Amino acid sequence: MSAYPEDEYLALSGIQHFAFCPRQWALGHIECLWVGNLLTAEGDLLHERVHDPTFDEKRGDRLIVRAMPVASATLGIRGVCDVVEFLCDENGVPVTGRKGRWRPVPVEYKHGDNSSVHADSMQLCAQAMCLEEMLCCDIPEAYLYYAAVKRRERVELTPELRAAVRDALAEMHRLYARGHTPRVKKRPGCRSCAMREVCLPGLEKARSAVEYIRGAIDACREEKP
Ligand code: SF4
């Protein structure tokens, strides 16, 4: 199985943006044009609270680890799991400093409702696939917690979802290596998209920001005598 060198790892969280809209991911991760809006600000606040390391704890037969760094050489990604719950289970893995065996279950916190559950599930599945590679175990299920509706949803990590994650990450690596931003493809999510101002979805034939700057430079050169 081939592996990516560490300097080619992509941010794991990007897969959620890519699943929502490949152009949104490319504007942020290739062109570095991050523009926040109210939704992203609320999400940042929630993750700050979830990632507070003082919240690590043990509840009965469950260890709760917050802000756990994860990576996968085969997928070429690195990131941080909001929460990984380790459930006491004889089919689990050993945990340093703890007796017994523990089965890891990632939990990803989202500030909104479940309207982006597919994109969220892709991110969650990528986290689980990293943990499987790091801990040499199988993780059949994981959970999404939606703060706006205070609901926790079980996500089955099916072969189809895993294949979708692999395909998306392979495409992200291809686009990143070429420095290519996909063109605008209008979708319902454009209305609340944090990249709307730089993407200009109303201009279907809009060039990428990089293409725009290159075009402007070329035009200046042509004007010089
Ligand atoms: S505005 Fe629409 S097309 Fe543009 S990045 Fe956002 S979701 Fe994608």
Side-chain angles (χ1 to χ4, degrees):
M1 193 178 292
S2 63
Y4 289 92
E6 279 191 34
D7 61 356
E8 291 182 14
Y9 283 12
L10 299 175
L12 187 159
S13 59
I15 194 170
Q16 183 214 8
H17 301 286
F18 187 86
F20 177 74
C21 170
R23 180 172 170 81
Q24 188 200 60
W25 167 77
L27 288 170
H29 290 257
I30 296 178
E31 302 194 25
C32 300
L33 295 173
W34 281 114
V35 182
N37 64 12
L38 180 62
L39 295 177
T40 58
E42 285 174 356
D44 291 346
L45 276 175
L46 176 69
H47 283 99
E48 267 174 36
R49 286 201 292 271
V50 171
H51 285 184
D52 184 341
T54 61
F55 285 166
D56 284 3
E57 59 189 301
K58 180 174 186 299
R59 283 190 210 160
D61 61 354
R62 173 179 311 234
L63 300 173
I64 300 176
V65 178
R66 297 174 196 270
M68 181 171 173
V70 292
S72 161
T74 54
L75 297 173
I77 48 173
R78 66 162 60 88
V80 177
C81 292
D82 283 342
V83 170
V84 182
E85 296 183 353
F86 287 84
L87 310 183
C88 192
D89 186 326
E90 62 183 18
N91 296 316
V93 296
V95 171
T96 306
R98 303 281 179 182
K99 288 182 183 162
R101 301 181 78 85
W102 304 83
R103 179 166 56 87
V105 180
V107 184
E108 172 68 14
Y109 282 66
K110 297 296 177 191
H111 67 280
D113 57 24
N114 64 353
S115 52
S116 301
V117 68
H118 172 67
D120 299 338
S121 299
M122 295 274 280
Q123 181 185 3
L124 186 65
C125 186
Q127 292 175 357
M129 291 166 79
C130 287
L131 285 165
E132 288 177 333
E133 191 170 313
M134 292 165 61
L135 303 174
C136 299
C137 64
D138 293 324
I139 302 177
E141 63 173 13
Y143 287 85
L144 292 166
Y145 178 78
Y146 289 100
V149 288
K150 294 187 170 54
R151 201 166 76 216
R152 185 165 152 138
E153 289 199 7
R154 178 178 179 274
V155 177
E156 190 181 348
L157 306 178
T158 62
E160 293 76 19
L161 182 57
R162 291 165 185 271
V165 167
R166 281 191 207 94
D167 289 349
L169 289 170
E171 180 62 10
M172 288 161 65
H173 276 285
R174 276 193 290 273
L175 290 170
Y176 195 89
R178 290 170 52 210
H180 177 72
T181 299
R183 291 194 176 280
V184 170
K185 191 173 169 190
K186 282 212 301 190
R187 60 196 76 220
C190 289
R191 282 194 296 276
S192 59
C193 176
M195 290 294 184
R196 187 178 169 78
E197 284 178 24
V198 290
C199 170
L200 303 176
L203 304 175
E204 302 256 350
K205 291 192 165 63
R207 290 175 292 176
S208 74
V210 169
E211 287 169 336
Y212 176 84
I213 292 166
R214 281 192 191 130
I217 292 170
D218 290 345
C220 285
R221 284 185 182 139
E222 283 167 14
E223 279 174 15
K224 283 186 181 170

